Structures are given as C-alpha cells and as structure tokens.
PDB file of all heavy atoms in Angstrom:
ATOM      1  N   GLU A 176     -19.313 -11.486  11.648  1.00  0.00           N
ATOM      2  CA  GLU A 176     -19.255 -12.496  12.702  1.00  0.00           C
ATOM      3  C   GLU A 176     -18.436 -13.702  12.269  1.00  0.00           C
ATOM      4  O   GLU A 176     -17.688 -14.262  13.064  1.00  0.00           O
ATOM      5  CB  GLU A 176     -20.664 -12.919  13.112  1.00  0.00           C
ATOM      6  CG  GLU A 176     -21.386 -11.856  13.913  1.00  0.00           C
ATOM      7  CD  GLU A 176     -22.809 -12.253  14.264  1.00  0.00           C
ATOM      8  OE1 GLU A 176     -23.049 -13.440  14.528  1.00  0.00           O
ATOM      9  OE2 GLU A 176     -23.670 -11.361  14.272  1.00  0.00           O
ATOM     10  N   GLU A 177     -18.579 -14.109  11.009  1.00  0.00           N
ATOM     11  CA  GLU A 177     -17.791 -15.232  10.506  1.00  0.00           C
ATOM     12  C   GLU A 177     -16.300 -14.899  10.534  1.00  0.00           C
ATOM     13  O   GLU A 177     -15.475 -15.758  10.827  1.00  0.00           O
ATOM     14  CB  GLU A 177     -18.217 -15.594   9.086  1.00  0.00           C
ATOM     15  CG  GLU A 177     -19.580 -16.239   9.010  1.00  0.00           C
ATOM     16  CD  GLU A 177     -20.061 -16.432   7.587  1.00  0.00           C
ATOM     17  OE1 GLU A 177     -19.264 -16.254   6.635  1.00  0.00           O
ATOM     18  OE2 GLU A 177     -21.247 -16.750   7.423  1.00  0.00           O
ATOM     19  N   LEU A 178     -15.951 -13.665  10.217  1.00  0.00           N
ATOM     20  CA  LEU A 178     -14.541 -13.270  10.212  1.00  0.00           C
ATOM     21  C   LEU A 178     -13.973 -13.139  11.617  1.00  0.00           C
ATOM     22  O   LEU A 178     -12.799 -13.406  11.839  1.00  0.00           O
ATOM     23  CB  LEU A 178     -14.354 -11.942   9.473  1.00  0.00           C
ATOM     24  CG  LEU A 178     -14.459 -12.010   7.951  1.00  0.00           C
ATOM     25  CD1 LEU A 178     -14.478 -10.604   7.364  1.00  0.00           C
ATOM     26  CD2 LEU A 178     -13.321 -12.810   7.354  1.00  0.00           C
ATOM     27  N   THR A 179     -14.796 -12.727  12.566  1.00  0.00           N
ATOM     28  CA  THR A 179     -14.288 -12.485  13.921  1.00  0.00           C
ATOM     29  C   THR A 179     -14.595 -13.620  14.884  1.00  0.00           C
ATOM     30  O   THR A 179     -14.007 -13.682  15.954  1.00  0.00           O
ATOM     31  CB  THR A 179     -14.884 -11.192  14.510  1.00  0.00           C
ATOM     32  OG1 THR A 179     -16.312 -11.322  14.569  1.00  0.00           O
ATOM     33  CG2 THR A 179     -14.492  -9.990  13.691  1.00  0.00           C
ATOM     34  N   ALA A 180     -15.532 -14.477  14.550  1.00  0.00           N
ATOM     35  CA  ALA A 180     -15.932 -15.636  15.351  1.00  0.00           C
ATOM     36  C   ALA A 180     -16.850 -15.294  16.532  1.00  0.00           C
ATOM     37  O   ALA A 180     -17.399 -16.182  17.141  1.00  0.00           O
ATOM     38  CB  ALA A 180     -14.736 -16.439  15.840  1.00  0.00           C
ATOM     39  N   THR A 181     -17.038 -14.018  16.847  1.00  0.00           N
ATOM     40  CA  THR A 181     -17.983 -13.667  17.910  1.00  0.00           C
ATOM     41  C   THR A 181     -18.695 -12.361  17.569  1.00  0.00           C
ATOM     42  O   THR A 181     -18.129 -11.482  16.939  1.00  0.00           O
ATOM     43  CB  THR A 181     -17.295 -13.465  19.286  1.00  0.00           C
ATOM     44  OG1 THR A 181     -16.495 -12.293  19.225  1.00  0.00           O
ATOM     45  CG2 THR A 181     -16.466 -14.662  19.680  1.00  0.00           C
ATOM     46  N   LYS A 182     -19.931 -12.247  18.023  1.00  0.00           N
ATOM     47  CA  LYS A 182     -20.720 -11.041  17.772  1.00  0.00           C
ATOM     48  C   LYS A 182     -20.102  -9.830  18.467  1.00  0.00           C
ATOM     49  O   LYS A 182     -20.074  -8.745  17.917  1.00  0.00           O
ATOM     50  CB  LYS A 182     -22.155 -11.240  18.234  1.00  0.00           C
ATOM     51  CG  LYS A 182     -23.013 -10.009  18.088  1.00  0.00           C
ATOM     52  CD  LYS A 182     -24.281 -10.302  17.368  1.00  0.00           C
ATOM     53  CE  LYS A 182     -25.166  -9.096  17.241  1.00  0.00           C
ATOM     54  NZ  LYS A 182     -24.826  -8.200  16.196  1.00  0.00           N
ATOM     55  N   SER A 183     -19.586 -10.015  19.671  1.00  0.00           N
ATOM     56  CA  SER A 183     -19.054  -8.873  20.422  1.00  0.00           C
ATOM     57  C   SER A 183     -17.859  -8.242  19.711  1.00  0.00           C
ATOM     58  O   SER A 183     -17.654  -7.039  19.787  1.00  0.00           O
ATOM     59  CB  SER A 183     -18.673  -9.289  21.835  1.00  0.00           C
ATOM     60  OG  SER A 183     -17.647 -10.246  21.800  1.00  0.00           O
ATOM     61  N   LYS A 184     -17.087  -9.046  19.014  1.00  0.00           N
ATOM     62  CA  LYS A 184     -15.928  -8.515  18.307  1.00  0.00           C
ATOM     63  C   LYS A 184     -16.311  -7.936  16.943  1.00  0.00           C
ATOM     64  O   LYS A 184     -15.557  -7.144  16.384  1.00  0.00           O
ATOM     65  CB  LYS A 184     -14.883  -9.609  18.104  1.00  0.00           C
ATOM     66  CG  LYS A 184     -14.199 -10.060  19.361  1.00  0.00           C
ATOM     67  CD  LYS A 184     -13.160 -11.114  19.034  1.00  0.00           C
ATOM     68  CE  LYS A 184     -12.488 -11.619  20.275  1.00  0.00           C
ATOM     69  NZ  LYS A 184     -11.522 -12.689  19.944  1.00  0.00           N
ATOM     70  N   SER A 185     -17.453  -8.341  16.395  1.00  0.00           N
ATOM     71  CA  SER A 185     -17.787  -7.930  15.031  1.00  0.00           C
ATOM     72  C   SER A 185     -18.013  -6.428  14.903  1.00  0.00           C
ATOM     73  O   SER A 185     -17.648  -5.837  13.897  1.00  0.00           O
ATOM     74  CB  SER A 185     -18.997  -8.709  14.497  1.00  0.00           C
ATOM     75  OG  SER A 185     -20.171  -8.373  15.180  1.00  0.00           O
ATOM     76  N   ASP A 186     -18.597  -5.782  15.922  1.00  0.00           N
ATOM     77  CA  ASP A 186     -18.824  -4.334  15.853  1.00  0.00           C
ATOM     78  C   ASP A 186     -17.513  -3.560  15.835  1.00  0.00           C
ATOM     79  O   ASP A 186     -17.341  -2.626  15.057  1.00  0.00           O
ATOM     80  CB  ASP A 186     -19.698  -3.861  17.014  1.00  0.00           C
ATOM     81  CG  ASP A 186     -21.142  -4.319  16.878  1.00  0.00           C
ATOM     82  OD1 ASP A 186     -21.561  -4.612  15.726  1.00  0.00           O
ATOM     83  OD2 ASP A 186     -21.830  -4.395  17.897  1.00  0.00           O
ATOM     84  N   SER A 187     -16.575  -3.956  16.684  1.00  0.00           N
ATOM     85  CA  SER A 187     -15.294  -3.251  16.696  1.00  0.00           C
ATOM     86  C   SER A 187     -14.502  -3.556  15.427  1.00  0.00           C
ATOM     87  O   SER A 187     -13.783  -2.693  14.918  1.00  0.00           O
ATOM     88  CB  SER A 187     -14.484  -3.602  17.940  1.00  0.00           C
ATOM     89  OG  SER A 187     -14.184  -4.970  17.974  1.00  0.00           O
ATOM     90  N   PHE A 188     -14.671  -4.748  14.890  1.00  0.00           N
ATOM     91  CA  PHE A 188     -13.987  -5.105  13.647  1.00  0.00           C
ATOM     92  C   PHE A 188     -14.542  -4.280  12.486  1.00  0.00           C
ATOM     93  O   PHE A 188     -13.792  -3.784  11.657  1.00  0.00           O
ATOM     94  CB  PHE A 188     -14.141  -6.600  13.378  1.00  0.00           C
ATOM     95  CG  PHE A 188     -13.249  -7.102  12.289  1.00  0.00           C
ATOM     96  CD1 PHE A 188     -11.873  -7.047  12.409  1.00  0.00           C
ATOM     97  CD2 PHE A 188     -13.782  -7.640  11.134  1.00  0.00           C
ATOM     98  CE1 PHE A 188     -11.040  -7.513  11.411  1.00  0.00           C
ATOM     99  CE2 PHE A 188     -12.963  -8.113  10.129  1.00  0.00           C
ATOM    100  CZ  PHE A 188     -11.585  -8.051  10.267  1.00  0.00           C
ATOM    101  N   ARG A 189     -15.863  -4.115  12.449  1.00  0.00           N
ATOM    102  CA  ARG A 189     -16.478  -3.295  11.406  1.00  0.00           C
ATOM    103  C   ARG A 189     -15.958  -1.865  11.493  1.00  0.00           C
ATOM    104  O   ARG A 189     -15.650  -1.235  10.486  1.00  0.00           O
ATOM    105  CB  ARG A 189     -18.006  -3.309  11.533  1.00  0.00           C
ATOM    106  CG  ARG A 189     -18.678  -2.448  10.462  1.00  0.00           C
ATOM    107  CD  ARG A 189     -20.182  -2.473  10.533  1.00  0.00           C
ATOM    108  NE  ARG A 189     -20.650  -1.991  11.813  1.00  0.00           N
ATOM    109  CZ  ARG A 189     -21.567  -2.606  12.547  1.00  0.00           C
ATOM    110  NH1 ARG A 189     -22.126  -3.719  12.137  1.00  0.00           N
ATOM    111  NH2 ARG A 189     -21.950  -2.096  13.698  1.00  0.00           N
ATOM    112  N   SER A 190     -15.814  -1.361  12.696  1.00  0.00           N
ATOM    113  CA  SER A 190     -15.285  -0.016  12.896  1.00  0.00           C
ATOM    114  C   SER A 190     -13.847   0.080  12.386  1.00  0.00           C
ATOM    115  O   SER A 190     -13.470   1.060  11.731  1.00  0.00           O
ATOM    116  CB  SER A 190     -15.363   0.342  14.376  1.00  0.00           C
ATOM    117  OG  SER A 190     -14.792   1.592  14.602  1.00  0.00           O
ATOM    118  N   LYS A 191     -13.047  -0.940  12.659  1.00  0.00           N
ATOM    119  CA  LYS A 191     -11.659  -0.969  12.194  1.00  0.00           C
ATOM    120  C   LYS A 191     -11.611  -0.981  10.667  1.00  0.00           C
ATOM    121  O   LYS A 191     -10.831  -0.246  10.060  1.00  0.00           O
ATOM    122  CB  LYS A 191     -10.960  -2.208  12.761  1.00  0.00           C
ATOM    123  CG  LYS A 191      -9.515  -2.335  12.375  1.00  0.00           C
ATOM    124  CD  LYS A 191      -8.907  -3.573  13.038  1.00  0.00           C
ATOM    125  CE  LYS A 191      -7.436  -3.685  12.764  1.00  0.00           C
ATOM    126  NZ  LYS A 191      -6.824  -4.791  13.498  1.00  0.00           N
ATOM    127  N   LEU A 192     -12.456  -1.806  10.042  1.00  0.00           N
ATOM    128  CA  LEU A 192     -12.497  -1.836   8.575  1.00  0.00           C
ATOM    129  C   LEU A 192     -12.906  -0.470   8.033  1.00  0.00           C
ATOM    130  O   LEU A 192     -12.319   0.022   7.067  1.00  0.00           O
ATOM    131  CB  LEU A 192     -13.479  -2.906   8.075  1.00  0.00           C
ATOM    132  CG  LEU A 192     -13.131  -4.359   8.365  1.00  0.00           C
ATOM    133  CD1 LEU A 192     -14.212  -5.277   7.795  1.00  0.00           C
ATOM    134  CD2 LEU A 192     -11.777  -4.728   7.831  1.00  0.00           C
ATOM    135  N   GLY A 193     -13.898   0.131   8.647  1.00  0.00           N
ATOM    136  CA  GLY A 193     -14.365   1.448   8.211  1.00  0.00           C
ATOM    137  C   GLY A 193     -13.270   2.500   8.274  1.00  0.00           C
ATOM    138  O   GLY A 193     -13.116   3.316   7.359  1.00  0.00           O
ATOM    139  N   THR A 194     -12.485   2.478   9.336  1.00  0.00           N
ATOM    140  CA  THR A 194     -11.378   3.424   9.475  1.00  0.00           C
ATOM    141  C   THR A 194     -10.374   3.261   8.344  1.00  0.00           C
ATOM    142  O   THR A 194      -9.928   4.247   7.737  1.00  0.00           O
ATOM    143  CB  THR A 194     -10.684   3.230  10.841  1.00  0.00           C
ATOM    144  OG1 THR A 194     -11.644   3.467  11.875  1.00  0.00           O
ATOM    145  CG2 THR A 194      -9.505   4.161  11.005  1.00  0.00           C
ATOM    146  N   HIS A 195     -10.034   2.031   8.018  1.00  0.00           N
ATOM    147  CA  HIS A 195      -9.061   1.767   6.949  1.00  0.00           C
ATOM    148  C   HIS A 195      -9.644   2.102   5.574  1.00  0.00           C
ATOM    149  O   HIS A 195      -8.926   2.631   4.714  1.00  0.00           O
ATOM    150  CB  HIS A 195      -8.597   0.314   7.001  1.00  0.00           C
ATOM    151  CG  HIS A 195      -7.636   0.036   8.114  1.00  0.00           C
ATOM    152  ND1 HIS A 195      -6.302  -0.177   7.905  1.00  0.00           N
ATOM    153  CD2 HIS A 195      -7.834  -0.045   9.454  1.00  0.00           C
ATOM    154  CE1 HIS A 195      -5.710  -0.379   9.063  1.00  0.00           C
ATOM    155  NE2 HIS A 195      -6.621  -0.305  10.024  1.00  0.00           N
ATOM    156  N   ILE A 196     -10.912   1.803   5.380  1.00  0.00           N
ATOM    157  CA  ILE A 196     -11.541   2.130   4.088  1.00  0.00           C
ATOM    158  C   ILE A 196     -11.587   3.643   3.900  1.00  0.00           C
ATOM    159  O   ILE A 196     -11.251   4.150   2.826  1.00  0.00           O
ATOM    160  CB  ILE A 196     -12.947   1.503   3.969  1.00  0.00           C
ATOM    161  CG1 ILE A 196     -12.830  -0.027   3.877  1.00  0.00           C
ATOM    162  CG2 ILE A 196     -13.687   2.051   2.749  1.00  0.00           C
ATOM    163  CD1 ILE A 196     -14.151  -0.765   3.997  1.00  0.00           C
ATOM    164  N   LYS A 197     -11.973   4.374   4.937  1.00  0.00           N
ATOM    165  CA  LYS A 197     -12.003   5.846   4.855  1.00  0.00           C
ATOM    166  C   LYS A 197     -10.623   6.401   4.496  1.00  0.00           C
ATOM    167  O   LYS A 197     -10.515   7.328   3.700  1.00  0.00           O
ATOM    168  CB  LYS A 197     -12.451   6.456   6.184  1.00  0.00           C
ATOM    169  CG  LYS A 197     -13.918   6.408   6.431  1.00  0.00           C
ATOM    170  CD  LYS A 197     -14.222   7.071   7.772  1.00  0.00           C
ATOM    171  CE  LYS A 197     -15.554   6.632   8.303  1.00  0.00           C
ATOM    172  NZ  LYS A 197     -15.821   7.159   9.640  1.00  0.00           N
ATOM    173  N   ALA A 198      -9.584   5.836   5.097  1.00  0.00           N
ATOM    174  CA  ALA A 198      -8.225   6.323   4.859  1.00  0.00           C
ATOM    175  C   ALA A 198      -7.782   6.099   3.413  1.00  0.00           C
ATOM    176  O   ALA A 198      -6.942   6.829   2.898  1.00  0.00           O
ATOM    177  CB  ALA A 198      -7.243   5.640   5.813  1.00  0.00           C
ATOM    178  N   ASN A 199      -8.345   5.104   2.755  1.00  0.00           N
ATOM    179  CA  ASN A 199      -7.938   4.747   1.393  1.00  0.00           C
ATOM    180  C   ASN A 199      -8.958   5.119   0.329  1.00  0.00           C
ATOM    181  O   ASN A 199      -8.680   5.009  -0.867  1.00  0.00           O
ATOM    182  CB  ASN A 199      -7.688   3.234   1.318  1.00  0.00           C
ATOM    183  CG  ASN A 199      -6.450   2.823   2.062  1.00  0.00           C
ATOM    184  OD1 ASN A 199      -5.347   2.965   1.573  1.00  0.00           O
ATOM    185  ND2 ASN A 199      -6.620   2.320   3.283  1.00  0.00           N
ATOM    186  N   PHE A 200     -10.138   5.543   0.744  1.00  0.00           N
ATOM    187  CA  PHE A 200     -11.248   5.724  -0.191  1.00  0.00           C
ATOM    188  C   PHE A 200     -10.926   6.657  -1.359  1.00  0.00           C
ATOM    189  O   PHE A 200     -11.152   6.328  -2.515  1.00  0.00           O
ATOM    190  CB  PHE A 200     -12.509   6.217   0.537  1.00  0.00           C
ATOM    191  CG  PHE A 200     -13.686   6.336  -0.377  1.00  0.00           C
ATOM    192  CD1 PHE A 200     -14.416   5.216  -0.730  1.00  0.00           C
ATOM    193  CD2 PHE A 200     -14.058   7.565  -0.911  1.00  0.00           C
ATOM    194  CE1 PHE A 200     -15.490   5.312  -1.592  1.00  0.00           C
ATOM    195  CE2 PHE A 200     -15.126   7.672  -1.777  1.00  0.00           C
ATOM    196  CZ  PHE A 200     -15.854   6.542  -2.119  1.00  0.00           C
ATOM    197  N   SER A 201     -10.402   7.865  -1.057  1.00  0.00           N
ATOM    198  CA  SER A 201     -10.186   8.816  -2.161  1.00  0.00           C
ATOM    199  C   SER A 201      -9.196   8.301  -3.186  1.00  0.00           C
ATOM    200  O   SER A 201      -9.390   8.483  -4.372  1.00  0.00           O
ATOM    201  CB  SER A 201      -9.756  10.190  -1.721  1.00  0.00           C
ATOM    202  OG  SER A 201      -9.583  10.362  -0.431  1.00  0.00           O
ATOM    203  N   GLU A 202      -8.144   7.634  -2.740  1.00  0.00           N
ATOM    204  CA  GLU A 202      -7.143   7.106  -3.673  1.00  0.00           C
ATOM    205  C   GLU A 202      -7.725   5.966  -4.523  1.00  0.00           C
ATOM    206  O   GLU A 202      -7.516   5.911  -5.732  1.00  0.00           O
ATOM    207  CB  GLU A 202      -5.911   6.621  -2.903  1.00  0.00           C
ATOM    208  CG  GLU A 202      -4.752   6.243  -3.779  1.00  0.00           C
ATOM    209  CD  GLU A 202      -4.144   7.408  -4.548  1.00  0.00           C
ATOM    210  OE1 GLU A 202      -4.295   8.573  -4.134  1.00  0.00           O
ATOM    211  OE2 GLU A 202      -3.507   7.141  -5.588  1.00  0.00           O
ATOM    212  N   VAL A 203      -8.461   5.071  -3.882  1.00  0.00           N
ATOM    213  CA  VAL A 203      -9.084   3.964  -4.618  1.00  0.00           C
ATOM    214  C   VAL A 203     -10.110   4.511  -5.605  1.00  0.00           C
ATOM    215  O   VAL A 203     -10.142   4.108  -6.772  1.00  0.00           O
ATOM    216  CB  VAL A 203      -9.739   2.952  -3.646  1.00  0.00           C
ATOM    217  CG1 VAL A 203     -10.553   1.907  -4.396  1.00  0.00           C
ATOM    218  CG2 VAL A 203      -8.671   2.281  -2.782  1.00  0.00           C
ATOM    219  N   LYS A 204     -10.924   5.456  -5.143  1.00  0.00           N
ATOM    220  CA  LYS A 204     -11.933   6.064  -6.020  1.00  0.00           C
ATOM    221  C   LYS A 204     -11.276   6.696  -7.246  1.00  0.00           C
ATOM    222  O   LYS A 204     -11.716   6.485  -8.383  1.00  0.00           O
ATOM    223  CB  LYS A 204     -12.721   7.120  -5.249  1.00  0.00           C
ATOM    224  CG  LYS A 204     -13.681   7.894  -6.106  1.00  0.00           C
ATOM    225  CD  LYS A 204     -14.256   9.082  -5.364  1.00  0.00           C
ATOM    226  CE  LYS A 204     -14.941   9.979  -6.372  1.00  0.00           C
ATOM    227  NZ  LYS A 204     -15.424  11.193  -5.833  1.00  0.00           N
TER     228      LYS A 204
END
C-alpha cells in the first residue's frame, strides 16, 4: 500500500511483482 498509495492498486501490484519474481526466480536461485 505504501508503494502504490492505495489499497485497490496494491493487489494488482503484488500480482505484477509475483509475475516478475517467478520469471527470474530460477536464475536468481
């Protein structure tokens, strides 16, 4: 919420972060 400034945007932002983390996870690991 602090990063997005609103609760409604925080869920979609978390989903966006999750998508990017999944895409990079194996390489980072």
Side-chain angles (χ1 to χ4, degrees):
E176 287 177 36
E177 289 173 11
L178 286 171
T179 60
T181 68
K182 176 129 179 81
S183 63
K184 290 182 182 177
S185 68
D186 289 338
S187 62
F188 192 63
R189 179 178 60 227
S190 177
K191 181 178 184 175
L192 294 180
T194 300
H195 285 253
I196 292 170
K197 282 181 201 175
N199 289 281
F200 183 80
S201 2
E202 188 66 23
V203 172
K204 174 190 167 185

